Amino acid sequence: MLQIENKDKFGKVVAGALAKIELTVTDAGMKKRWINAIAKATAEIEENGVFMTYQEDDHSLIIWSQKSNKIYTANGHCQCRAFEQGSPCFHRAAARLVRLYLEPEMSAIADTKAEEIPYLKNNSYIKAERVGSVRIN
Ligand SMILES: [Zn+2]
């Protein structure tokens, strides 16, 4: 069973995931499908977390779907129809959100204010020179 205890932190994870789609997915249709998948994943995690289990060893999220009565194990892959057809599915989106939510480095980000996180700033141009300890220009 999965329970989101820190809604504020989870909100930041979701905002970060949406921002990443906005920045990295260029195809408009695909962008819309991923945003829908993230929105559905967010609602499912909040409402049906009782039917989900996160496995730390392989970062997968096990989801018991009430609708299909099937069990999906999602990380980068999934067993659902949408994944078979090459479409984003909420299972994979949920797995990623939960992973980010539970990962220690995300906790560090959640402790900072949103305005201190470059990708959550609106209309600001950040010239990144370092990513972590790695110099990139
Ligand atoms: Zn799926």
Side-chain angles (χ1 to χ4, degrees):
M1 133 158 212
L2 180 80
Q3 199 170 8
I4 300 299
E5 280 165 7
N6 187 340
K7 302 240 186 236
D8 192 46
K9 179 180 172 185
F10 186 61
K12 282 176 188 166
V13 168
V14 173
L18 290 170
K20 190 166 182 235
I21 294 297
E22 198 60 46
L23 290 170
T24 58
V25 181
T26 49
D27 179 78
M30 198 53 113
K31 185 178 280 191
K32 194 167 175 234
R33 285 196 286 276
W34 268 120
I35 288 167
N36 287 341
I38 290 168
K40 175 140 199 250
T42 304
E44 288 285 331
I45 289 166
E46 284 178 338
E47 290 160 25
N48 294 317
V50 66
F51 303 114
M52 300 178 186
T53 302
Y54 183 70
Q55 300 197 119
E56 275 183 35
D57 52 347
D58 64 353
H59 307 293
S60 65
L61 185 68
I62 300 170
I63 302 169
W64 175 23
S65 167
Q66 300 298 286
K67 205 171 145 196
S68 66
N69 198 29
K70 281 184 181 159
I71 292 170
Y72 301 106
T73 305
N75 45 31
H77 298 271
C78 193
Q79 300 82 42
C80 71
R81 283 254 308 271
F83 180 74
E84 264 174 37
Q85 292 162 358
S87 292
C89 64
F90 90 84
H91 313 110
R92 279 195 294 159
R96 184 171 163 75
L97 293 177
V98 171
R99 179 180 179 173
L100 290 172
Y101 172 77
L102 293 174
E103 270 183 357
E105 54 264 43
M106 193 58 212
S107 300
I109 292 173
D111 288 339
T112 60
K113 295 191 180 85
E115 54 268 28
E116 291 166 0
I117 304 171
Y119 59 72
L120 294 181
K121 281 188 181 176
N122 287 327
N123 305 316
S124 63
Y125 176 67
I126 306 290
K127 192 178 178 204
E129 293 186 325
R130 299 178 81 87
V131 175
S133 59
V134 180
R135 194 171 175 86
I136 57 170
N137 71 359

